[in-house]
Structures are given as structure tokens and as C-alpha cells.
């Protein structure tokens, strides 16, 4: 799926992020991404084999779970501002990772 299509889907279906209403956990620190914690979080919230992942409006894809995890690890904290967004194709749950390495998840 091309990045423009991912961006369009995220704009249409991914809810606004109210940072104050969510609990946050550290998924990255000064040594990089804490992959096991991030993987555990994705598994707990998103049970789909493929995930929509968007780092910013020009960088996103629909990837198998392991490739999505690699994509996230590669782009966390890249400095584009805002949040990296992750969801399944049905938009049944949402995960966001902030540029400072904290993440939150919720269901509608």
C-alpha cells in the first residue's frame, strides 16, 4: 500500500490523540527501541497479521506484523514531530508512539 493511501486512511479513521487521557509506557530510551516491550504492546492490542503503520504523511505502509515492528523500530524518534500511528485494517485498536519514545494504546 502506498504512503498516500495509508495517510488517507489514517486521516479518515484514526481518532485524534488526547495525550492527557492515555497512560504511556517507555518503548525507547537512550539505547534505542526496547523491542520486546513494543512487541508485547502490539501483540496485546493488535491481533492482526498485517498492520497499518505511519511515521508521517509520506512514510507509511501496510505490513506483516514482523516487518511492521522493524519499520517502527527504524523510525521511532526520527524527529518528524507528532506521533507514529499503528492500527489494524479494521481500525479496531490504536497504538501511538511519540517521538520521545513513549507509547500508548486504546480501543474505541
Amino acid at each position: 500500500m502506498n504512503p498516500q493511501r495509508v495517510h488517507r486512511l489514517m486521516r479518515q479513521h484514526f481518532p485524534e490523540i488526547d495525550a492527557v487521557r492515555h497512560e504511556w509506557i517507555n518503548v525507547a530510551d537512550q539505547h534505542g527501541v526496547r523491542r520486546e516491550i513494543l512487541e508485547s504492546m502490539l501483540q496485546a492490542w493488535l491481533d492482526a497479521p498485517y498492520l497499518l503503520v505511519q511515521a508521517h504523511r509520506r512514510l507509511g505502509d501496510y505490513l506483516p506484523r514482523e516487518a511492521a515492528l522493524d519499520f517502527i523500530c527504524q523510525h521511532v524518534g526520527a524527529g518528524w514531530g507528532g506521533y507514529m500511528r499503528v492500527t489494524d485494517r479494521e481500525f479496531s485498536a490504536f497504538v501511538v508512539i511519540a517521538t520521545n519514545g513513549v507509547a500508548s494504546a486504546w480501543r474505541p
Side-chain angles (χ1 to χ4, degrees), residues 41-101:
M41 182 179 201
L42 291 175
Q43 189 64 38
W45 289 93
L46 298 167
D47 192 30
Y50 284 79
L51 301 175
L52 276 168
V53 185
Q54 183 186 36
H56 61 78
R57 69 184 187 98
R58 293 187 180 153
L59 184 59
D61 208 343
Y62 185 56
L63 300 166
R65 178 176 291 280
E66 193 63 31
L69 185 59
D70 293 340
F71 180 96
I72 294 166
C73 290
Q74 181 180 1
H75 297 290
V76 163
W80 290 298
Y83 302 94
M84 182 176 290
R85 299 184 285 185
V86 185
T87 188
D88 57 15
R89 188 62 178 90
E90 289 75 36
F91 291 86
S92 65
F94 308 99
V95 176
V96 292
I97 303 112
T99 56
N100 65 356

